[in-house]
Amino acid sequence: MARQKIESDIVLIGAGIMSATLGLLLKELNPKLKIEIFERLDIAAAESSDAWNNAGTGHAAFCELNYTPELEDGTIETKKAVKISEAFEVSRQLWTYLVEKGLLQDPENFIKSVPHMSFVWGDENVEYLKKRFEALQQFHLFKAMEFSDDIEKIRKWAPLVMENRNSKDKIAATSMKFGTDVNFGTLTRSMFKYLESLDGVTMHFHHDVYDLKKRDDGRWRIKVKDIATGEKKKVYTPFVFIGAGGGSLLLLEKANIPEGDGFGGFPVSGQWLKCTNLEVIKKHGAKVYGKASVGAPPMSVPHIDTRMIDGEKALLFGPYAGFSTKFLKNGSYFDLIKSIELNNIKPMLSAGAKNIPLTKYLIEQVIQSSDDRLKALQEYVPSAKKEDWVLENAGQRVQVIKKDKDGHGILEFGTEVVTAHDGSLAVLLGASPGASTAVQIMIDLIAKCFPEEIKSATWQTKLKEIIPSYGQSLNENPVLCDQIRLKTNEVLKLKV
């Protein structure tokens, strides 16, 4: 039987928030584009974008302390927090555009107002949080943040966190009422539903991309297998985006581009404690983040977290980190071994040697007992009872390992976009804070991969319609920032 051949302008591999965002932006910029989307599973957003597998904070850097480290000289580094906060505002603008145009329905199904809090105890941590608050106050994006070390004030913000807490403990918290909870699984599936309704867009579920190669004519030939029928297809396209979560690294290696040399991956799994007691769930209404343990990856920053999942209020604590050789929740235990190649073995080994605290931390997490997990929970919820909480598996993340200038490995905890020199291929690697900053990441990608088109008057006009702040810094334009926040709050039905 002859293999089916498909010609396409754009191929997106992986049906997560990144592919949904890129496909939607490109289709809005050029409605004539033919787009093929391939997903190994039978549903969109079942891996990193799923509500149970994703932090869901609508990462705006309001509460995540790992984005504002204290430097050796005692100052607080704010650059990353400001960048992430700006990027989340860009995401909100895209979602507002989609709702206003009627392309996304019922925003309350994917985004809700939930305050973001940071909570610490102990003299040193309280001092750090106060310095962090003061450092962030110089930026307009964070002006609405409140700081308190008053027990009664914090009790009003987070009664469950304060219930049965020792009144002698020195504590402090910050709160941003402007925070949100985002169900990226629901959002992603809604975006794909709209995309699928457009001419020239085809989604292929249960399809495994097992090879890709650059041809002499500059196009990519992609080999795909229909998992259900065994039928194989060849797809030809001038542009490929690989947004397959943990599966992206293995496909980058198959693409064999020089820009991908030396990249490796370190998989980290996660688990939540999920509350089953409705009375306890009702008592909490915030995302409360603490300080990470030494060596912990960003996805393991502890938080007691109010979520809206499938229309129901949920309460989670964690995540507890673990180690698995899988690169995806639904992946293979051979993923890590298959990812090791001659060009990345040195960076991977040297990154491992440099990150002994991480290895130690993961071992400790893996061997934790249920009593150990309860003890960690009780630091945030002193009144927690074991019978009210069950263990739930969370997502799988692959932290990026890349070469430094000496050929040694660096373990990166952010996201990384690897782009072919001619812009014909882009691959997204890494984990936090991906989903929340997806729109900015994809706009930057479009600028790299479609440099001439993005300069055109048509694309510039459309981008400014979709993202009113496009080309401007919201942090440096307080009036514009306030106007856009007011508009996005109204359209997305956020109550602040």
Side-chain angles (χ1 to χ4, degrees), residues 4-8 10-11 34 36 38 204 209 211 213 215 219-224 233-237 240:
Q4 185 183 350
K5 289 186 178 181
I6 300 171
E7 298 279 346
S8 186
I10 307 286
V11 169
K34 187 172 187 289
E36 302 285 328
F38 295 96
H204 307 264
V209 174
D211 195 28
K213 186 179 180 181
R215 287 162 42 102
R219 294 192 305 159
W220 287 89
R221 183 207 65 205
I222 303 165
K223 290 183 178 178
V224 189
K233 302 169 185 175
K234 285 183 180 177
V235 188
Y236 298 90
T237 183
V240 187

Side-chain angles (χ1 to χ4, degrees), residues 429-445:
L429 303 174
S432 181
S436 304
T437 58
V439 181
Q440 187 61 60
I441 291 171
M442 291 301 109
I443 288 172
D444 293 344
L445 185 153

Side-chain angles (χ1 to χ4, degrees), residues 296-316:
M299 71 170 282
S300 300
V301 174
H303 45 111
I304 179 75
D305 198 339
T306 291
R307 298 269 183 95
M308 292 300 295
I309 299 176
D310 301 326
E312 299 288 328
K313 187 180 178 184
L315 183 61
L316 313 179

Side-chain angles (χ1 to χ4, degrees), residues 17-18 21 48-49 54 91 95 184 415 431 433-439 441:
I17 186 67
M18 293 294 178
T21 302
S48 298
S49 303
N54 186 281
S91 291
W95 307 335
F184 285 103
T415 47
S436 304
T437 58
V439 181
I441 291 171

Side-chain angles (χ1 to χ4, degrees), residues 84-152:
I84 290 168
S85 192
E86 285 243 23
F88 185 61
E89 296 293 338
V90 171
S91 291
R92 285 173 50 128
Q93 288 175 73
L94 171 65
W95 307 335
T96 296
Y97 166 84
L98 295 173
V99 171
E100 273 196 310
K101 294 282 183 184
L103 311 180
L104 279 188
Q105 310 296 325
D106 305 319
E108 59 271 30
N109 289 343
F110 69 83
I111 189 167
K112 293 271 188 186
S113 289
V114 176
H116 286 197
M117 288 180 59
S118 302
F119 177 76
V120 298
W121 56 89
D123 291 350
E124 196 176 309
N125 289 335
V126 168
E127 181 60 28
Y128 158 76
L129 192 65
K130 191 171 185 187
K131 281 202 288 187
R132 176 186 185 264
F133 167 73
E134 288 167 353
L136 290 174
Q137 282 302 288
Q138 65 183 297
F139 303 105
H140 187 75
L141 290 161
F142 297 89
K143 281 290 183 192
M145 182 180 282
E146 294 179 74
F147 171 89
S148 182
D149 54 11
D150 179 75
I151 288 174
E152 292 311 311

